[in-house]
């Protein structure tokens, strides 16, 4: 069975299988407790196939992190597309992030909770990534349109989205009594009161 899988997986399919397996093992065991050998065994692929796509474990983790951030960015952009105004866009982004957290908890856990600086020291902070810059730009546009009070953009972005991100952490930690989306209205309304004119 494993041999057939080794022979049948090639190119992008093999790369995706390795990334998915790495995500699973990094989530369960942590980055430092997972080896390339563990990933190879779990994915049912050869060590050479992994090294063909990724220089080392750090490169694999970096590729996974970048792929998940890009996926999150696309989802956020799509959710806020054709929405009118800062409140509508912000609500759509928060709702999408809540849904992603419920549907893909491992992905969101890896993006939001993993200590990337420990094993990806050259990576820019997550707040510099495209998803978080998109959130910041939404409130900057809101200021320009007179919907949001004039303030430091990072303060506005943190006020609008910081509570939502914390709620996502609580969901991932298993603390919430209800599904994350049940808190959407209250989270959005509370955040909007903090920045609206």
């Amino acid at each position: 069975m494993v041999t057939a899988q080794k022979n049948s997986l090639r190119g992008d399919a093999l790369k995706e299988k390795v990334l998915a397996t790495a995500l699973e093992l990094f989530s369960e065991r942590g980055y430092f407790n997972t080896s390339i050998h563990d990933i190879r065994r779990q994915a049912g692929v050869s060590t050479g196939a992994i090294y063909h796509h990724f220089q080392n474990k750090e490169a694999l983790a970096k590729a996974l992190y970048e792929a998940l951030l890009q996926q999150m960015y696309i989802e956020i952009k799509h959710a806020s597309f054709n929405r009118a105004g800062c409140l509508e866009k912000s609500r759509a982004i928060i709702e999408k992030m809540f849904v992603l957290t419920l549907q893909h908890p491992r992905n969101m856990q890896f993006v939001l909770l993993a200590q990337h600086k420990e094993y990806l020291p050259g990576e820019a902070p997550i707040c510099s990534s495209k998803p978080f810059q998109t959130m910041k730009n939404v409130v900057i546009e809101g200021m320009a349109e007179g919907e949001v009070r004039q303030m430091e953009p990072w303060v506005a972005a943190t006020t609008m989205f910081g509570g939502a991100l914390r709620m996502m952490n609580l969901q991932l930690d298993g603390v919430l009594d209800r599904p994350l989306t049940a808190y959407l209205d209250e989270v959005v309304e509370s955040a909007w009161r903090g920045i609206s004119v």
Side-chain angles (χ1 to χ4, degrees):
M1 178 78 175
V2 171
T3 306
Q5 189 174 15
K6 282 182 186 177
N7 293 334
S8 65
L9 283 179
R10 299 228 182 324
D12 288 342
L14 187 144
K15 187 176 178 181
E16 290 302 314
K17 175 69 172 173
V18 170
L19 287 171
T21 303
L23 174 63
E24 178 184 343
L25 293 177
F26 291 161
S27 297
E28 289 174 3
R29 303 178 184 180
Y31 174 83
F32 293 108
N33 293 323
T34 301
S35 68
I36 288 289
H37 178 71
D38 295 330
I39 295 167
R40 178 208 64 76
R41 186 175 53 240
Q42 183 87 3
V45 300
S46 70
T47 304
I50 294 176
Y51 283 118
H52 175 74
H53 290 283
F54 308 100
Q55 184 179 5
N56 51 36
K57 188 171 76 164
E58 183 180 310
L60 197 164
K62 181 174 170 32
L64 177 61
Y65 181 60
E66 289 174 350
L68 293 176
L69 280 175
Q70 181 64 19
Q71 183 181 10
M72 185 177 170
Y73 169 71
I74 290 167
E75 295 279 2
I76 284 172
K77 286 296 283 184
H78 185 263
S80 60
F81 183 71
N82 276 343
R83 302 290 179 146
C86 183
L87 176 58
E88 243 189 87
K89 287 180 183 178
S90 297
R91 180 186 174 81
I93 289 169
I94 292 169
E95 183 174 19
K96 176 53 71 174
M97 291 195 309
F98 280 10
V99 169
L100 289 173
T101 301
L102 291 170
Q103 291 178 342
H104 306 287
R106 279 188 177 150
N107 296 16
M108 299 306 280
Q109 185 170 23
F110 187 77
V111 169
L112 298 176
L113 301 182
Q115 299 299 315
H116 306 106
K117 286 292 181 190
E118 292 180 8
Y119 53 88
L120 298 176
E123 276 301 295
I126 193 167
C127 59
S128 301
S129 67
K130 290 200 294 191
F132 290 86
Q133 288 296 326
T134 300
M135 292 179 222
K136 181 181 172 188
N137 289 338
V138 165
V139 296
I140 290 172
E141 290 168 14
M143 283 185 220
E145 295 295 322
E147 302 168 277
V148 174
R149 294 194 318 275
Q150 292 300 314
M151 63 177 82
E152 157 56 42
W154 277 121
V155 173
T158 301
T159 303
M160 188 67 231
F161 298 104
L165 291 166
R166 183 64 187 133
M167 292 295 290
M168 291 159 64
N169 290 349
L170 293 173
Q171 174 67 41
L172 293 169
D173 287 342
V175 173
L176 300 179
D177 297 326
R178 297 180 288 155
L180 186 55
T181 47
Y183 301 93
L184 178 65
D185 290 338
E186 195 171 356
V187 169
V188 172
E189 288 164 17
S190 298
W192 185 244
R193 282 197 299 271
I195 67 169
S196 61
V197 292

